[in-house]
Amino acid sequence: MKPQKEVKIPNRAAHFTTGVSVTLALLTLGIIAMIRIAATVESHRMLEKIEISVILADSIDDSRGMAISEAIAKQPFALDTRFISRRQAMENWKEATGEDLEKTFGVNPLSPEIAFTVRTGYTSPAGIAKISKAITSVDGVAEVGAPDSELIKSMNDTIRKITLSMTLLAAVMLIISFVLINNTVRLSIYSRRFTIHTMQLVGATDGFIRRPFVAANTVVGIVSGLIAAALLALLLVAAPNIGMGELNRLVSWPAMGILALALVAIGAAICSTASALATTRHLHQDYEELFN
C-alpha cells in the first residue's frame, strides 16, 4: 500500500489562517457585546426618567421648601432634584396653558413642589412605594405623586427580558466562537502532527512538545483579540458618520476598554486551551493513526 503524502502548511500561513478565523469570531462576539452594553445603558436611562412629584403644604415658604428639597437630594434614591416655587409653578402653568390663574382667582393657588428622578436601583414598584411612604411622613409634605406601579412593573419586565435575551445571545455566540476557534486551531496543529511524532521519537517530553504550540496559538489569540478590539473602536468612532450616532453615545470608552480586554483574554484563553487539547490528542496517537 502506497503511503499517503503529508501536506505541509507553513507555520506563517497556518497562523495567518487561524488569526483571521479567530478575529472574525471575536469581532462577531464583540458586536453582540456592544449591543448588550448599549441596551443596558439605554434601559438605565429610561428607568432614571421616572419622576416623583412632592406637593408641599401651602404654609411652606420658599426657604423651607428649599431645605426639604436639599434633604431629599442627599438621599441615596434621588438622582436629580429641583425645587419649584409658587412663582415658578405659576410661570410654568402660564407657559403650558396660557392661563393666568393669579388674575382669575386674585391669588396664586399653586403650591410649591419638589420634583426628583429616581436612581435605577430604586425603580421597582416596591422601591417607589417605599420612597413615597418615607417622603409623605416628612413635615410640610402635603402629597406625593408617583407613576403607576403597573407601568413601572411593565417597564422593568420589558427591560429584564431584553437584557436576558442579549445575555443569552452573547452566551450562544461565545460557545459558537469557542467551537469555531477550537476547530481552526485543531486543523492548524493537525498539519504539524508528523512534527510532533518526530519530536517524540528523539525523546522530547510531552510538556516540551506542547509548550511552543500553546505559546504560538496564545499569541495568535491575543493579536486577534487586539485586531477585533481595534475594529470595534473604529466602528465606535465612525458611528456618527454612518447613521449610528446612538451607539457612540451609549457605549462609553471605559466600557469599550473593558470589552477590548475581554476580547483579548477570551482569544488567548480559547486558543491556548484548544492548542493544548489538540496537541495532547496527537501526542497519544500511534504512528498509523497519523494517516487518518
Side-chain angles (χ1 to χ4, degrees):
M1 176 176 155
K2 187 178 179 180
Q4 297 182 14
K5 185 179 180 181
E6 177 190 1
V7 179
K8 294 185 178 180
I9 302 175
N11 278 340
R12 290 184 179 179
H15 289 160
F16 176 77
T17 303
T18 303
V20 171
S21 300
V22 174
T23 299
L24 291 176
L26 292 177
L27 182 62
T28 304
L29 180 61
I31 290 174
I32 297 297
M34 285 183 70
I35 296 174
R36 168 71 168 78
I37 293 171
T40 300
V41 172
E42 180 63 17
S43 65
H44 286 177
R45 188 183 68 84
M46 290 174 59
L47 288 174
E48 288 178 348
K49 284 187 174 182
I50 294 177
E51 188 174 84
I52 294 179
S53 298
V54 181
I55 310 299
L56 301 178
D58 292 336
S59 59
I60 301 297
D61 57 23
D62 287 352
S63 60
R64 173 58 179 158
M66 283 292 295
I68 296 174
S69 177
E70 290 172 1
I72 292 176
K74 293 178 182 178
Q75 300 301 312
F77 54 74
L79 179 63
D80 181 30
T81 307
R82 66 184 188 279
F83 173 69
I84 304 172
S85 64
R86 281 190 177 84
R87 177 52 54 192
Q88 183 61 49
M90 177 59 70
E91 293 298 326
N92 293 343
W93 180 272
K94 287 181 182 178
E95 185 177 343
T97 66
E99 183 181 4
D100 190 343
L101 295 178
E102 202 165 8
K103 285 185 177 179
T104 303
F105 296 101
V107 294
N108 184 350
L110 300 180
S111 302
E113 297 179 31
I114 300 170
F116 66 93
T117 53
V118 182
R119 294 187 185 277
T120 306
Y122 298 85
T123 52
S124 64
I128 296 295
K130 188 175 180 179
I131 292 171
S132 299
K133 183 178 180 181
I135 294 178
T136 302
S137 63
V138 175
D139 184 34
V141 173
E143 183 183 350
V144 175
D148 182 68
S149 61
E150 287 300 319
L151 174 62
I152 297 173
K153 184 177 182 299
S154 176
M155 288 178 62
N156 278 282
D157 289 344
T158 301
I159 290 171
R160 192 178 297 110
K161 289 177 182 177
I162 293 174
T163 302
L164 179 60
S165 298
M166 295 305 301
T167 301
L168 291 175
L169 180 59
V172 170
M173 281 306 306
L174 182 60
I175 295 172
I176 294 174
S177 298
F178 177 80
V179 173
L180 292 175
I181 295 172
N182 179 60
N183 289 338
T184 302
V185 173
R186 285 182 62 186
L187 287 173
S188 174
I189 294 178
Y190 176 79
S191 68
R192 314 299 300 176
R193 65 194 185 282
F194 287 101
T195 301
I196 293 174
H197 184 71
T198 302
M199 294 174 72
Q200 282 183 306
L201 292 178
V202 298
T205 63
D206 290 357
F208 182 85
I209 297 172
R210 189 186 297 111
R211 194 175 301 116
F213 288 98
V214 173
N217 282 283
T218 300
V219 171
V220 171
I222 291 173
V223 173
S224 299
L226 290 173
I227 294 174
L231 292 175
L232 290 175
L234 185 62
L235 173 63
L236 196 59
V237 171
N241 299 322
I242 57 176
M244 299 173 63
E246 287 297 303
L247 183 66
N248 186 271
R249 180 180 63 82
L250 295 174
V251 181
S252 65
W253 284 108
M256 186 65 226
I258 294 173
L259 176 58
L261 291 175
L263 290 177
V264 171
I266 290 171
I270 293 178
C271 286
S272 61
T273 302
S275 59
L277 293 174
T279 307
T280 300
R281 177 176 177 271
H282 292 303
L283 285 172
H284 296 158
Q285 281 184 320
D286 294 330
Y287 181 72
E288 292 77 11
E289 294 176 331
L290 297 178
F291 295 96
N292 297 329

